């Protein structure tokens, strides 16, 4: 399940919004890094996030009672890659409010971290892991300092 969960979704809207996010952010990232690199990044970050999520749920005693579906963890990784590769880009939050992509990703990281262990049916901890593994991948593979890209240090 640490791999296949990314290809299953709870309902039509879950699939629709995940694929919309993949289209909005993924196309630009894929154009910049190439199809093979994008596929490696997407599947590796998503799978590692799935593994880490299952391990976390197991360690806190939720392993036997939970399941995870959706591409969100991998998509959070893609959003971070987009923000790193296009740091000056503006994203329209709720189709109205222009916000720098780096600020959007940082904001989502903070929100997901705050909600990581809520039992609301959303795998917030998976989103956090998606961002963390994307951070590691980008730092190791491309030797890019994400903190510098985001204006820190």
């Amino acid at each position: 399940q640490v791999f296949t969960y990314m290809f299953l979704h709870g309902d039509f809207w879950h699939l629709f919004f995940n694929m919309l996010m993949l289209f909005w952010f993924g196309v630009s990232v894929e154009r910049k890094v190439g199809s093979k690199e994008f596929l490696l990044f997407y599947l590796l970050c998503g799978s590692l996030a799935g593994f880490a999520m299952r391990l976390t749920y197991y360690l806190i005693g939720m392993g036997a009672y939970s399941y995870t579906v959706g591409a969100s963890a991998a998509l959070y990784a893609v959003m971070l890659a987009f923000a790193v590769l296009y740091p000056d880009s503006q994203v329209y939050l709720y189709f109205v409010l222009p916000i720098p992509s780096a600020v959007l990703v940082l904001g989502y990281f903070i929100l997901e971290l705050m909600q990581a262990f809520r039992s609301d049916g959303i795998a917030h901890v998976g989103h956090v892991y998606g961002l963390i593994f994307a951070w590691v991948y980008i730092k190791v593979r491309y030797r890019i300092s994400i903190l510098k890209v985001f204006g820190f240090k």
Side-chain angles (χ1 to χ4, degrees), residues 38-80:
F38 179 79
L39 185 62
L40 173 67
F41 172 77
Y42 182 87
L43 294 177
L44 185 63
C45 288
S47 295
L48 289 172
F51 176 77
M53 192 172 15
R54 295 305 304 160
L55 182 61
T56 300
Y57 288 155
Y58 174 77
L59 292 174
I60 65 172
M62 290 176 50
Y65 306 106
S66 65
Y67 66 92
T68 305
V69 296
S72 301
L75 292 173
Y76 271 75
V78 171
M79 283 194 322
L80 180 64

Side-chain angles (χ1 to χ4, degrees), residues 3-150:
F3 177 76
T4 58
Y5 83 98
M6 294 182 281
F7 302 103
L8 304 170
H9 289 78
D11 59 25
F12 171 79
W13 293 110
H14 187 202
L15 176 64
F16 176 80
F17 284 112
N18 274 197
M19 294 305 99
L20 190 60
M21 296 298 285
L22 183 60
F23 176 72
W24 282 342
F25 297 105
V27 170
S28 298
V29 173
E30 182 189 15
R31 282 188 186 140
K32 192 84 154 189
V33 302
S35 296
K36 288 180 184 177
E37 181 70 21
F38 179 79
L39 185 62
L40 173 67
F41 172 77
Y42 182 87
L43 294 177
L44 185 63
C45 288
S47 295
L48 289 172
F51 176 77
M53 192 172 15
R54 295 305 304 160
L55 182 61
T56 300
Y57 288 155
Y58 174 77
L59 292 174
I60 65 172
M62 290 176 50
Y65 306 106
S66 65
Y67 66 92
T68 305
V69 296
S72 301
L75 292 173
Y76 271 75
V78 171
M79 283 194 322
L80 180 64
F82 178 85
V84 169
L85 296 171
Y86 302 96
D88 298 325
S89 64
Q90 297 282 318
V91 178
Y92 285 88
L93 187 62
Y94 303 114
F95 304 105
V96 177
L97 182 65
I99 185 169
S101 60
V103 172
L104 177 77
V105 171
L106 185 60
Y108 272 130
F109 177 72
I110 292 167
L111 286 173
E112 294 299 328
L113 203 54
M114 290 176 8
Q115 299 180 68
F117 296 101
R118 287 184 62 195
S119 57
D120 59 359
I122 299 172
H124 298 287
V125 72
H127 301 165
V128 171
Y129 281 129
L131 290 166
I132 290 169
F133 286 114
W135 180 295
V136 171
Y137 185 98
I138 291 166
K139 181 127 179 94
V140 170
R141 182 107 167 135
Y142 297 114
R143 305 199 189 290
I144 295 174
S145 171
I146 296 172
L147 290 176
K148 285 183 183 176
V149 171
F150 284 9

